[in-house]
Amino acid sequence: FEPWHLCWLALQPEQAPMRPILTYEYGVAVQKAGQCFTAFDGPRVIACAGVVNCWYGRAQVWSLMSEAITQGYGPLVHRAVKRFLDNFSIRRMELTLDPEVPRMVAWAKRLGFTYESTMPAYGPNGELQDMYVRIRKVP
């Protein structure tokens, strides 16, 4: 992942409202906060994802998907993200999502996350978001 990848990402419609905050500077911030990855098809950015380390034992997982994700890339991206999360040794992983987008909810569950709470005015534009968590025992 490089910060400019966010600028090349043609977001899927459900995530398009986030476009104004996905600046190069935002990319620098998430890159410094934890591990980040980009999926490409040639020069086209298909997805960007990563982990923001909050403190020891807690991190927030994020993903931004291209509108092209439905063109056969979904299973590949899912396997890569699942493999990363399964090998990421941290006690509590969190993600937030729009509960009105069933595809996002279903993906979070397939990744092993469970619903924890609903958070009014949490999204970048003040929208309601649901918190999903993945708790694991870490030696």
Side-chain angles (χ1 to χ4, degrees):
F1 173 84
E2 295 291 332
W4 59 267
H5 297 168
L6 294 180
C7 303
W8 281 26
L9 183 62
L11 289 170
Q12 63 183 335
E14 297 90 344
Q15 292 181 318
M18 294 190 64
R19 173 51 61 204
I21 68 166
L22 301 178
T23 62
Y24 180 84
E25 294 75 19
Y26 181 82
V28 169
V30 295
Q31 186 180 39
K32 287 180 181 179
Q35 292 179 288
C36 306
F37 305 92
T38 302
F40 284 95
D41 180 9
R44 183 165 58 164
V45 177
I46 302 301
C48 296
V51 175
V52 173
N53 295 306
C54 300
W55 55 71
Y56 181 77
R58 177 179 167 241
Q60 285 208 337
V61 177
W62 61 272
S63 66
L64 297 163
M65 302 294 163
S66 162
E67 59 192 358
I69 200 70
T70 59
Q71 298 171 356
Y73 299 104
L76 295 170
V77 170
H78 172 76
R79 282 194 301 273
V81 170
K82 179 101 168 73
R83 186 172 42 253
F84 172 78
L85 294 176
D86 288 347
N87 292 303
F88 193 67
S89 182
I90 194 159
R91 183 177 54 248
R92 179 186 172 92
M93 285 185 271
E94 305 170 344
L95 64 78
T96 61
L97 54 78
D98 181 344
E100 298 297 318
V101 183
R103 167 167 76 144
M104 290 181 182
V105 173
W107 191 40
K109 290 178 179 178
R110 282 195 321 274
L111 289 171
F113 288 83
T114 58
Y115 172 82
E116 184 178 71
S117 63
T118 296
M119 302 177 305
Y122 187 85
N125 299 304
E127 57 274 78
L128 179 131
Q129 297 274 284
D130 279 355
M131 172 74 75
Y132 279 75
V133 298
R134 183 172 159 165
I135 309 291
R136 64 186 268 181
K137 292 183 179 173
V138 178

